[in-house]
Amino acid sequence: MALPDSEEGEPVAPGHPLAKGFLPVSGEAPAGKNLEPQNGPKAGCLLLNGVLQNSPAAAPGALGGPHTVLAPEEETQARLLPTEPGEETPGAEGAPLPRTALSPRRFVVLLVFSLYSLVNAFQWIQYSIISNVFEGFYGVSLLHIDWLSMVYMLAYVPLIFPATWLLDTRGLRLTALLGSGLNCLGAWIKCGSVQRHLFWVTMLGQCLCSVAQVFILGLPSRIASVWFGPKEVSTACATAVLGNQLGTAVGFLLPPVLVPNTQNNTSLAYNISTMFYGTSAIATLLFIMTAIAFKEKPQYPPSQAQAALRDSPPEEYSYKKSIRNLFKNIPFVLLLVTYGIMTGAFYSVSTLLNQVILKYYPGEEVNAGRIGLTLVVAGMVGSILCGLWLDYTKTYNFFMTGYLPLGFEFAVEITYPESEGTSSGLLNAAAQIFGILFTLAQGKLTSDYSPRAGNIFLCAWMFVGIILTALIKSDLRRHNINIGITNVEIKAVPVDSPMDQEPKITLSKQSNSSI
């Protein structure tokens, strides 16, 4: 399944020949000035490190004939490409610059991640959607069953900081293996809990799956950024999140079918065991596929933004400083609160859906699952449509549907070049905190008053989230780098695993005008 390095993809923008490391442009410009592609044509030649050197205006035949004026993004990509296949393009002081290329392996990485994320999300909701069945089987209260869902939210908050630190310092592959491996282990432990007095064993297995989630939820934006080009990065992130949403959808649909509510304890135990063993087998297969298919990064960076991050020394990076920078970023703080509200509301509704439906329609566990399926599928469609739209428009503020991938990608844009894993991790931590609070509050309102009271409570908070979303300033830093706008400060961010055998290069603190 894994592809050898020799099969890495072709350059992103082939067919733009460069002469002696320069991109010909027309007009005149003073020596030593930076070229802003969107300000119109200027004189001289564009040196590969972004500095415009004084030179005569390019004559139509000086470099082999007339040259077509490139669009800003094409110029950015062309500056990173070798003149001929297999060649390195020389940069300032004779240092070679990496070419950009898209690796076919990126689709395998995305598929494997999406599948084991699916299984993890399935295990999150498999208890809640038939909470009355597990309540009767284990002889515990509904609050105990609710905690089988809320433990996912509770575990994430204290573990997100070590998990994002691990992602930044040890790399993508190790983090993926931990997520897939713990998910597999938790599934197998649940197989030993199919007896009425072993609720603590099923809670133990669910706790391990919740820890696995910490190493899963923050990866979509990192995988998209490291492996996919600028015109497909939002779609890739949406697809990665789609796997998790699809797992929730399957978790709504299958458990009511596999484990029908029956008074026969022997038959009930058999049905629960079937569900648990089937989940374990699939999780084991996906862990093996992760070990085979996942690679730290492609041979060549897929975008100008990733090339800039690879082309600098890592010694200036500080994880604590990165966290401080994120909390000083006002648009990100606003996004943190709005994402937490919107996603936390979804977690609360998902956890309590069975209880809300059965209060009015007893015995309708299967239809409760179908309602949950409809809820998630609608969000999945929104996620994909939003991802495709964002890749072409970058209008992040105008959508509420499909908030999960939108929030991840918007956070990466407004916090670049801070680590994608850190920003995504903080967003998920906010979602878990709001999810716990909303689940407890909505559950209390539902039991003491009515489901309507709980729904009104959530609607009021979501209205606040909409208002705060409208206040977020859309400063798309990563997109600006990809199209050649160079007016923001760049800080150090690690992108490679220390265990990676390739040279470790990241972004040093410098002005974007020197990229």
Side-chain angles (χ1 to χ4, degrees), residues 231 234-235 238 382-393:
K231 291 187 177 181
S234 293
T235 304
S383 296
I384 292 298
L385 293 179
C386 283
L388 292 170
W389 181 263
L390 292 177
D391 274 331
Y392 287 95
T393 67

Side-chain angles (χ1 to χ4, degrees), residues 129 248-249 252-253 346 353 367-377:
I129 196 57
T248 305
F252 279 128
L253 182 64
F346 169 72
L353 182 62
N367 282 326
R370 290 170 180 167
I371 292 172
L373 174 67
T374 303
L375 174 72
V376 177
V377 168

Side-chain angles (χ1 to χ4, degrees), residues 25-30 35 40-46 52-58:
V25 293
S26 58
E28 292 188 355
L35 181 64
K42 295 184 180 180
C45 294
L46 180 65
L52 184 65
Q53 303 293 338
N54 205 18
S55 64

Side-chain angles (χ1 to χ4, degrees), residues 357-413:
I357 298 299
L358 295 187
K359 187 176 182 66
Y360 294 108
Y361 305 99
E364 294 293 336
E365 293 87 359
V366 174
N367 282 326
R370 290 170 180 167
I371 292 172
L373 174 67
T374 303
L375 174 72
V376 177
V377 168
M380 290 163 55
V381 173
S383 296
I384 292 298
L385 293 179
C386 283
L388 292 170
W389 181 263
L390 292 177
D391 274 331
Y392 287 95
T393 67
K394 305 301 179 184
T395 50
Y396 289 86
N397 284 43
F398 298 148
F399 290 94
M400 295 301 295
T401 308
Y403 209 93
L404 272 69
L406 169 60
F408 287 162
E409 281 300 286
F410 196 16
V412 173
E413 290 287 351

Side-chain angles (χ1 to χ4, degrees), residues 123-125 127-128 134 138 140 142-153 190 199-207 210 351:
Q123 295 195 79
W124 163 56
I125 207 66
Y127 295 99
S128 296
F134 281 105
Y138 286 116
V140 296
L142 277 175
L143 183 60
H144 283 80
I145 304 302
D146 289 345
W147 273 110
L148 288 170
S149 169
M150 290 191 290
V151 70
Y152 262 61
M153 310 173 202
K190 291 180 187 180
F199 176 78
W200 68 272
V201 177
T202 209
M203 176 61 81
L204 175 62
Q206 190 74 339
C207 286
S210 69
T351 300

Side-chain angles (χ1 to χ4, degrees), residues 195-442:
Q195 295 186 41
R196 297 179 60 86
H197 65 286
L198 294 180
F199 176 78
W200 68 272
V201 177
T202 209
M203 176 61 81
L204 175 62
Q206 190 74 339
C207 286
L208 283 176
C209 293
S210 69
V211 175
Q213 179 205 214
V214 182
F215 300 101
I216 293 174
L217 289 188
L219 291 192
S221 56
R222 172 63 69 91
I223 291 174
S225 296
V226 171
W227 284 91
F228 288 82
K231 291 187 177 181
E232 57 187 14
V233 64
S234 293
T235 304
C237 183
T239 304
V241 174
L242 181 69
N244 198 269
Q245 294 177 319
L246 184 59
T248 305
V250 176
F252 279 128
L253 182 64
L254 282 187
V257 176
L258 295 175
V259 188
N261 192 5
T262 175
Q263 301 301 318
N264 188 328
N265 288 331
T266 302
S267 175
L268 188 59
Y270 175 80
N271 292 334
I272 293 174
S273 181
T274 299
M275 180 172 69
F276 284 167
Y277 274 103
T279 305
S280 302
I282 296 173
T284 302
L285 175 63
L286 291 173
F287 174 64
I288 295 172
M289 292 173 65
T290 303
I292 295 174
F294 248 83
K295 186 182 175 185
E296 187 63 40
K297 66 182 188 303
Q299 182 178 1
Y300 299 106
S303 66
Q304 166 72 349
Q306 282 297 306
L309 291 175
R310 288 196 188 187
D311 197 28
S312 305
E315 59 270 9
E316 292 186 19
Y317 175 74
S318 166
Y319 180 71
K320 293 181 179 179
K321 183 178 180 181
S322 177
I323 295 292
R324 288 197 298 268
N325 289 338
L326 289 174
F327 280 105
K328 290 178 182 177
N329 187 322
I330 299 302
F332 176 74
V333 173
L334 288 174
L335 179 63
L336 197 66
V337 176
T338 59
Y339 184 90
I341 291 173
M342 298 300 176
T343 310
F346 169 72
Y347 290 162
S348 179
V349 169
S350 300
T351 300
L352 300 174
L353 182 62
N354 174 267
Q355 299 170 40
V356 170
I357 298 299
L358 295 187
K359 187 176 182 66
Y360 294 108
Y361 305 99
E364 294 293 336
E365 293 87 359
V366 174
N367 282 326
R370 290 170 180 167
I371 292 172
L373 174 67
T374 303
L375 174 72
V376 177
V377 168
M380 290 163 55
V381 173
S383 296
I384 292 298
L385 293 179
C386 283
L388 292 170
W389 181 263
L390 292 177
D391 274 331
Y392 287 95
T393 67
K394 305 301 179 184
T395 50
Y396 289 86
N397 284 43
F398 298 148
F399 290 94
M400 295 301 295
T401 308
Y403 209 93
L404 272 69
L406 169 60
F408 287 162
E409 281 300 286
F410 196 16
V412 173
E413 290 287 351
I414 64 179
T415 62
Y416 177 86
E418 304 296 346
S419 169
E420 302 93 342
T422 304
S423 61
S424 297
L426 290 175
L427 289 181
N428 282 317
Q432 313 301 334
I433 293 173
F434 277 100
I436 293 174
L437 296 177
F438 287 170
T439 301
L440 293 175
Q442 186 188 11

